[in-house]
């Protein structure tokens, strides 16, 4: 991936251009570093701004850029490593001279590469890829259309209600979702419905596809509206369409639109005569759907099929009106389950099986070789799904392909994903935003493009995990290998790993593949184990990857303490160690996750405190026995820009947290009571959104002070609060609190709200767990307008009774939205 290669090398140069760097002589290198950076930046701008349709030529150009930049990065990083590790002055001087010589060579190579790229001429009259887009679009329609809406009945009724709504003005009704999910099938069913057709004077269907062709669109509309083909200039065709629709009630379907610009050019030809005309539009892109939608008619997200609906679609395609033979049903359902509710996949599977003998033995063979079978399914679907990838802007492509490195059918932790993206230099700064914020925007863009799915959410509503459909994951794996973004190892031998810079292991590697690993020692930059333990021979190889930037071997039961000191380019490290190691030379470390090796026992592990020199550090997670605990107050003093802070067990708490004005999340878990004054002093944390307290035993009157935290949204107390009465005074208002969880506050008997619902005006979720003495929930809790959910676990009968009473009273007032769950 050329764009990602450029970003990585540019990051290294940015570090060298900082005023406080002390590795290379500024007076000798400054001009050359700036020149090299400018040429790299020009190449990145070229990729950002290229809108050619000639995809084949562009891929050749990208490969050329990638190869040159990767080799340049190897030269620069190798030379820098020698400087960092030089333990004598004469060795350092020699290394600096070598770096300067390599810099001059790299500068020249990139200069000529820039000249070469700028002279390339593209064929902008279209290419095979544009034709492929048209073929794929029609393939998708012919594959899953045929007016079959198995499992889409609810979707159909929702769209039908919108189309037949009594609103007079012209309404645009967008349907969005990933490729192959059945958007066109749904739109066609609505379009062909006899009741719908009877309501409109004119109907027209136009398919846009990835490459918007205004003339083709106009010709299709003219043909549908007038009933005959007409040749004219574009302005005349627009006039024909406008006049043909003017004064008539019309239904237009705009299928497979990819840009807001295309809609801007199209919408002017549709008159709005306030006569209940409708435009039904399908797209893979949520931002396009949002852009075209009307305020009272939000975009409709086409959902995946349930397993039952997938099975019904499968049997309808395979057996028509006949039932599935009982002997095949169990095996068939297992096969269909692998489609994960994507209609395109279900239909392709049915199409493959219909060509085989419909016998139990044949289907059993398919079931036993699902990976091979679904490899064929993936190939059949790739031309459709790859359109979404090809339409991605450059800055999102590496982020998307990286998703293939996570195990299939698994939720992906968003925080970990973002940290990895940042360490890989996939995320570019935007204005004054933190990289974590930009990375979340990247992820949301991929979701809005129907490439990534939202997984679980946090109490605050923020995303905890995300997912990717298996077919799209397979697209990631194949494209990532081709584009040299990441090589995913999952049971396959290590053939063809030459030139692969990032390796992610989803299963063990055989020792016979050692020599192939050895061959790639000089270029591997990322080495990740996803829940896989390695044998000793594999672990020892890691120390030889001298230029590693990302090392995540946290699941591996091995002492990596001897490995760390040599890997001076690390940006991300997650591992287990037996001995304390110096991190002094890790100038680029952003993420540090270190765990105590389990065989170590209760001995305290001392870790030299080199963290203060790490100007790039973004995430620090060091396990309990490490020697960092006594220095919490000092860490806080030296890191005033912290966003999240978690303090566990025997760590000595500071006198105050008020220096942390940017803090958004605070977690305190102790083995002894904390001084309530710490809380009373820290009501000045203006950005704190989430507060978790465990085993702190704070008096309830001190808890009321937390209402002074202006942006607090989540409060979680586990054995955290002490006393029999929580009296929330009238002037105590938790203005933005959305989520309140009280767990094992076993002495609490009475909870009173002096101001009623006004004490918690924004509360959405209330969870009470193991409060055996609490008499009841305040009745006024039910009057909170935003309240959605109450969960009661292992509380007394009075709490359960009051929760049921609150729900009944709300239902009597017409509020059926409040969900109450009680677990005795």
């Amino acid at each position: 991936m050329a764009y990602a290669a450029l970003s990585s090398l540019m990051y290294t140069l940015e570090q060298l251009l900082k005023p406080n760097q002390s590795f290379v002589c500024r007076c000798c290198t400054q001009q050359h570093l700036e020149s090299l950076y400018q040429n790299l930046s020009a190449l990145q701008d070229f990729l950002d701004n290229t809108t050619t349709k000639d995809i084949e030529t562009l891929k050749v150009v990208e490969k050329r850029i990638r190869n040159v930049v990767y080799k340049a990065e190897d030269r620069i990083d190798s030379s820098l490593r020698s400087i960092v590790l030089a333990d004598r002055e004469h060795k350092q001087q020699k290394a600096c001279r070598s770096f300067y010589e390599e810099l001059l060579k790299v500068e020249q190579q990139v200069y000529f590469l820039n000249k070469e790229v700028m002279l390339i001429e593209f064929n902008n009259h279209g290419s095979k890829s544009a034709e492929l887009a048209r073929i794929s679009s029609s393939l998708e329609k012919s594959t899953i259309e045929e007016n079959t809406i198995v499992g889409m009945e609810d979707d159909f009724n929702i769209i039908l209600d919108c189309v037949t709504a009594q609103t007079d003005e012209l309404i645009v009704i967008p349907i969005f979702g990933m490729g192959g999910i059945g958007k066109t099938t749904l739109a066609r069913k609505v379009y062909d419905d006899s009741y719908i057709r009877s309501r409109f004077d004119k109907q027209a269907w136009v398919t846009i596809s990835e490459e918007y062709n205004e003339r083709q669109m106009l010709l299709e509309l003219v043909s549908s509206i007038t009933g005959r083909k007409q040749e004219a200039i574009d302005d005349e065709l627009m006039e024909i369409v406008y006049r043909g629709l003017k004064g008539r009630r019309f239904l237009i379907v705009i299928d497979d639109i990819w840009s807001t610009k295309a809609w801007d050019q199209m919408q002017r030809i549709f008159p709005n005569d306030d006569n209940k005309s409708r435009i039904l539009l399908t797209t893979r892109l949520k931002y396009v759907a949002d852009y075209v939608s009307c305020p009272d008619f939000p975009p409709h997200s086409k959902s995946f099929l349930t397993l039952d609906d997938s099975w019904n679609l499968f049997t309808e395609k395979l057996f028509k009106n006949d039932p599935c033979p009982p002997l095949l049903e169990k095996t068939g359902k297992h096969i269909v389950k692998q489609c994960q509710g994507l209609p395109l996949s279900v239909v392709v599977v049915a199409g493959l099986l219909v060509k085989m003998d419909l016998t139990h033995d044949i289907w059993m063979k398919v079931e036993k070789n699902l990976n091979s079978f679904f490899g064929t399914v993936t190939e059949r679907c790739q031309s459709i799904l790859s359109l979404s990838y090809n339409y991605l802007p450059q800055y999102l492509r590496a982020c998307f392909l990286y998703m293939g490195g996570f195990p299939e059918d698994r939720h992906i932790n968003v925080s970990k994903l973002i940290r990895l993206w940042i360490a890989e230099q996939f995320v570019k700064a935007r204005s004054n935003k933190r990289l974590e914020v930009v990375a979340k925007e990247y992820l949301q863009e991929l979701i809005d493009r129907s490439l990534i799915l939202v997984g679980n959410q946090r109490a605050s509503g923020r995303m905890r995990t995300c997912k990717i459909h298996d077919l799209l994951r397979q697209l990631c794996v194949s494209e990532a290998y081709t584009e040299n973004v990441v090589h995913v190892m999952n049971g396959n031998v290590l053939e063809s790993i030459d030139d692969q810079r990032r390796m992610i292991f989803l299963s063990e590697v055989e020792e016979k593949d050692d020599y192939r690993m050895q061959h790639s020692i000089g270029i591997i930059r990322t080495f990740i184990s996803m829940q896989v333990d390695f044998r000793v021979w594999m672990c020892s190889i890691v120390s030889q990857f001298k230029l590693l930037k990302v090392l995540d071997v946290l699941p591996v039961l091995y002492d990596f303490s001897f490995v760390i000191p040599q890997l001076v380019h690390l940006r991300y490290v997650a591992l287990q160690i037996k001995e304390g190691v110096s991190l002094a030379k890790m100038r680029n470390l952003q993420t540090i996750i270190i765990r105590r090796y389990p065989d170590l026992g209760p001995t305290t592990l001392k870790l030299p405190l080199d963290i203060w020199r790490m100007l790039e550090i973004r995430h620090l997670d060091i396990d309990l026995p490490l020697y960092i605990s006594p220095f919490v107050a000092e860490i806080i003093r030296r890191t005033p820009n912290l966003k999240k802070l978690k303090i566990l067990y025997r760590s000595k708490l500071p006198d105050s947290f008020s220096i942390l004005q940017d803090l958004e999340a605070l977690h305190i878990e102790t083995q002894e009571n904390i001084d309530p004054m710490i809380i009373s002093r820290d009501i000045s944390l203006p950005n704190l959104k989430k507060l978790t307290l465990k085993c702190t035993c704070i008096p309830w009157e001190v808890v009321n002070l937390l209402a002074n935290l202006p942006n607090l949204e989540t409060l979680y107390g586990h054995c955290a609060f002490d006393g029999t009465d929580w009296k929330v005074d009238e002037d105590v208002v938790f203005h933005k609190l959305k989520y309140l969880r009280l767990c094992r506050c076993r002495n609490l008997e009475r909870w009173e709200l002096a101001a009623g619902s006004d004490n918690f005006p924004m509360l959405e979720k209330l969870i009470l767990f193991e409060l055996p003495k609490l008499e009841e929930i305040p009745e006024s809790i039910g009057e909170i307008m935003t309240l959605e959910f109450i969960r009661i676990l292992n509380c007394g009968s009075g709490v359960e009774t009051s929760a049921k009473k609150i729900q009944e009273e709300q239902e009597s007032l017409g509020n059926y939205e409040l969900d109450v769950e009680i677990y005795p």
Side-chain angles (χ1 to χ4, degrees), residues 82-128:
S82 298
I83 295 174
V84 174
L85 294 179
D87 55 0
R88 296 284 190 277
E89 186 176 351
H90 72 278
K91 289 183 179 180
Q92 190 171 42
Q93 290 176 352
K94 181 180 178 181
C96 285
R97 285 195 299 272
S98 176
F99 172 80
Y100 180 71
E101 292 168 2
E102 294 292 344
L103 176 61
L104 294 181
K105 293 175 185 176
V106 167
E107 180 188 15
Q108 187 179 43
Q109 290 169 351
V110 173
Y111 171 80
F112 284 116
L113 173 66
N114 202 357
K115 293 292 185 184
E116 177 186 333
V117 168
M118 298 310 165
L119 291 174
I120 289 174
E121 294 184 3
F122 290 101
N123 171 20
N124 285 317
H125 298 294
S127 65
K128 292 180 181 177

Side-chain angles (χ1 to χ4, degrees), residues 139-146 148 180-182 185 343-344 347:
L139 173 63
E140 179 179 358
K141 293 163 184 53
S142 63
T143 302
I144 64 174
E145 200 170 288
E146 300 179 11
T148 300
I181 204 168
T185 301
L344 171 65
V347 173

Side-chain angles (χ1 to χ4, degrees), residues 143 343-353 373 376-378 380-381:
T143 302
L344 171 65
S345 182
V346 174
V347 173
V348 169
V349 166
L352 290 172
L353 289 179
F373 179 74
T376 305
V377 174
T378 300
R380 299 286 179 93
C381 299

Side-chain angles (χ1 to χ4, degrees), residues 149-292:
I149 64 161
V150 175
M152 300 187 190
E153 292 82 3
D154 289 343
D155 297 292
F156 176 78
N157 290 330
I158 289 171
I159 301 302
L160 189 67
D161 288 344
C162 295
V163 171
T164 59
Q166 293 305 305
T167 305
D168 290 335
E169 65 182 291
L170 174 63
I171 295 173
V172 181
I173 307 161
I175 305 170
F176 73 94
M178 74 174 279
I181 204 168
K183 304 180 296 296
T184 300
T185 301
L186 177 59
R188 175 61 72 180
K189 184 63 179 178
V190 173
Y191 183 80
D192 288 341
D193 186 85
S194 58
Y195 172 66
I196 294 296
R197 297 188 77 87
S198 68
R199 291 176 58 88
F200 295 97
D201 304 318
K202 292 286 183 179
Q203 288 183 272
W205 182 291
V206 58
T207 301
I208 305 300
S209 297
E210 190 176 8
E211 299 291 340
Y212 174 60
N213 184 320
E214 184 175 55
R215 180 166 181 81
Q216 183 65 32
M217 178 272 298
L218 289 170
L219 289 171
E220 287 185 35
L221 282 175
V222 167
S223 177
S224 295
I225 292 168
T226 65
R228 62 182 186 277
K229 295 183 179 180
Q230 297 188 39
E231 289 293 334
I233 63 174
D234 289 358
D235 287 347
E236 291 176 356
L237 291 174
M238 288 183 190
E239 184 70 18
I240 293 171
V241 171
Y242 188 85
R243 289 184 177 277
L245 298 177
K246 184 65 177 172
R248 297 175 174 85
R249 182 186 294 180
F250 58 83
L251 171 64
I252 308 292
V253 175
I254 302 173
D255 187 33
D256 200 22
I257 188 169
W258 287 76
S259 73
T260 56
K261 183 179 179 181
W263 170 250
D264 288 338
Q265 294 177 4
M266 294 179 67
Q267 64 172 329
R268 54 187 172 170
I269 63 176
F270 303 122
N272 183 3
D273 294 320
D274 290 332
N275 60 358
K276 296 185 175 65
S277 290
R278 303 288 184 258
I279 296 175
L280 188 56
L281 178 148
T282 73
T283 180
R284 301 186 190 190
L285 310 176
K286 184 176 183 295
Y287 70 89
V288 173
D290 289 336
Y291 184 82
V292 306

Side-chain angles (χ1 to χ4, degrees), residues 550-704:
V550 173
L551 175 62
D552 188 343
V553 285
L554 198 59
V556 180
L557 293 175
Y558 188 78
D559 175 22
F560 285 94
S561 55
F562 76 97
V563 173
I564 299 297
Q566 300 298 311
L567 305 179
V568 299
H569 289 300
L570 281 177
R571 298 171 185 163
Y572 183 112
V573 62
L575 42 67
Q576 301 183 39
I577 61 175
K578 282 185 178 180
E579 300 177 4
V581 295
S582 173
L583 305 175
K585 295 181 178 181
M586 312 295 162
R587 59 191 175 88
N588 291 322
L589 265 177
Q590 299 172 341
T591 292
I592 304 174
I593 303 173
I594 297 179
R595 295 287 178 268
R596 176 178 60 104
Y597 192 73
D599 289 346
L600 197 57
T603 306
T604 298
L605 183 62
K606 293 186 178 181
L607 186 72
L609 293 177
D610 303 313
I611 304 165
W612 319 126
R613 300 183 182 90
M614 298 177 187
L615 300 180
E616 301 299 312
I617 195 71
R618 314 187 74 86
H619 180 81
L620 179 65
D621 182 357
I622 297 182
D623 205 1
L624 127 93
L626 298 179
Y627 190 58
I628 200 170
S629 297
F631 299 97
V632 170
E634 179 68 5
I635 292 171
I636 290 173
R637 188 182 69 81
R638 291 178 181 246
T639 54
N641 298 321
L642 277 178
K643 301 294 180 184
K644 296 181 181 179
L645 177 61
K646 190 172 185 177
I647 302 175
L648 302 180
Y649 308 115
R650 296 177 181 173
S651 299
K652 179 176 173 57
L653 294 176
D655 292 333
S656 174
F657 294 99
S658 58
I659 190 176
L660 304 176
Q661 291 293 289
D662 292 331
L663 194 67
E664 295 178 359
L666 175 61
H667 180 125
I668 301 175
E669 186 170 342
T670 70
Q671 291 182 336
E672 55 191 32
N673 297 357
I674 69 169
D675 181 0
M677 291 302 294
I678 292 177
I679 299 295
S680 62
R681 291 189 202 105
D682 288 312
I683 57 175
S684 61
L685 295 174
N687 291 298
L688 193 69
K689 296 179 180 178
K690 180 179 181 180
L691 178 60
T692 301
L693 300 171
K694 292 189 177 183
C695 305
T696 52
C697 294
I698 297 171
W700 286 108
E701 58 266 24
V702 176
V703 176
N704 288 343

